[in-house]
Amino acid sequence: MIGKVSFVVLVVLAGGATIITFDPPSSARSTSSIQHAHPIRPVSPARPVRPPQPAGIARPPTPARPPTAGRLPTAAQLPTGPRSPSPDRPPTGGAGPTSAGTEHGAHAPIVIAHRGASAFRPEHTLLAYEVAIQKGTDYIEPDLVSTKDHVLVVRHENELSATTDVGAHPEFADRGTTKIINGTRVTGWFTEDFTFEELRTLRARERFPRRRPGSSAYDGQARIPTLEEVVQLAQKHGVGVYPEIKYSSYFASIGLPIEEPLLEILRRHGWDDACDPVLIQSFETGNLKRLNSLTRLRLIQLIGSGNGLPYDLTKSGDPRTCGDLLAPDGLRQIAGYADGIGVTSARVVPIGPDGRSQPATSLIEDAHRQGLLVHVSTIREENGKLPADYRLGNPAARSYSRAAGNVKGWLERLFRLHVDGVLADNPGSARAIRDRLYPGR
């Protein structure tokens, strides 16, 4: 059924082609409406077409899109054609350039608030997300774990002691235990051993109080939020969400899978298509391949910093390394089920033995050839988290590692390499540099 009619005009100029869409007035604009004219992205030779929804999987009707506050994430990164797990499908317009020499900077990269504005408020709290929105982020990042009663809540890991006051609750003392999580032995208190109502009695605290005393001043002020609350906050303020599925294999093994509730919550709020401001990320591969057949939302394959593998590949005995996944053939395979990759900045600009940055690798160009977006993490302002050639101050000072370095210079270098997005603890700095390099985009 056609809800409204849009008029599309193709304007051909000397610099390329531009699509301008005119929508009639509406009392509630879609959260995915393109509000500006955007240059047509070049066709990617490796961007395949996703097949129709598989038989037997019922896609619920999309509800009416909620209105927003008028500031949506840039539509520059939205793909013009969906992907498919079938490598022999013909390509469609994708997110990357047709060759390494193609200018990829025609569209402004996105800014993703890493765990919220985690440089200023305890991570993964509504306080942190609200500050991130105030500082101009395009997306907020909630990491997802499950409670005992299968409510999706936002924590970087399912163990609670590092970021909550659970240890100060004597009524939960007997919940402490030791588990094997994705092959690693972990001792503490775990979200899956608490009901949602029990978890709501806890309060968040700063993970790094010595490094971030200003943030620790907000200890005890915020509860653990649900994914639903984060989505509602994002839509209220017109920003996107960048959820990460944590420990997919583990939660599935205990009967609390993350993927289906995640899709259901997003659909309930009108987000279920590639043009919506949502990117779902995971370090595992099997769940992203399954999601590829269940949703048109964009998917990001995360790759760790070491030579290991995603846990599900390690568990299956796959001999490949992360380096293999980031080689051209590995990227070609990722492009069959995902829209982009998320890597540490050292994958793009290696760090030498002296701690200084080295010449950039070919990863961005290689990924763009396959139509993949490249998002880098994590941009932090402290000297100790920057390459040595971007640090400021006296190295002999006790506070040197915690002092702010030349993060603006570091961001500028990454943006000039044409990354498609950055995850930053201070999204305000990233937004300022992005807007200076990409004015009006």
Side-chain angles (χ1 to χ4, degrees), residues 113-116 122-129 140-147 151-160 163-164 191 196 199-200 202-205 207 222-233 241-247 251 258 262 265 281:
H114 181 243
R115 310 181 197 176
E123 64 182 54
H124 289 316
T125 60
L126 294 183
L127 292 176
Y129 296 128
I140 52 179
E141 185 210 24
D143 293 341
L144 303 178
V145 295
S146 179
T147 65
V151 177
L152 297 192
V153 294
V154 182
R155 291 287 89 190
H156 181 254
E157 58 271 316
N158 55 337
E159 201 286 303
L160 293 162
T163 59
T164 75
T191 60
F196 172 64
L199 211 59
R200 292 289 258 193
L202 306 182
R203 293 296 180 268
R205 69 180 189 184
R207 183 187 294 270
R223 299 187 298 184
I224 296 175
T226 64
L227 171 62
E228 188 110 32
E229 290 173 324
V230 174
V231 170
Q232 290 171 344
L233 179 69
V241 294
Y242 197 89
E244 180 184 343
I245 299 169
K246 305 296 291 191
Y247 312 123
F251 277 108
I258 304 293
L262 165 60
I265 290 170
Q281 51 176 336

Side-chain angles (χ1 to χ4, degrees), residues 272-349:
D272 67 349
D273 201 78
C275 64
D276 292 322
V278 178
L279 297 107
I280 299 174
Q281 51 176 336
S282 177
F283 277 103
E284 297 192 29
T285 62
N287 61 335
L288 291 182
K289 292 175 181 177
R290 292 193 302 274
L291 284 169
N292 182 45
S293 67
L294 296 173
T295 182
R296 291 182 179 274
L297 292 169
R298 292 167 293 161
L299 307 175
I300 301 295
Q301 178 67 69
L302 299 178
I303 304 293
S305 58
N307 289 325
L309 274 176
Y311 176 72
D312 56 333
L313 295 186
T314 300
K315 188 176 179 180
S316 69
D318 193 310
R320 293 175 298 167
T321 66
C322 284
D324 295 327
L325 296 182
L326 295 176
D329 186 60
L331 293 170
R332 190 176 304 112
Q333 294 178 42
I334 292 173
Y337 63 86
D339 300 274
I341 57 173
V343 297
T344 63
S345 58
R347 296 281 189 189
V348 172
V349 180

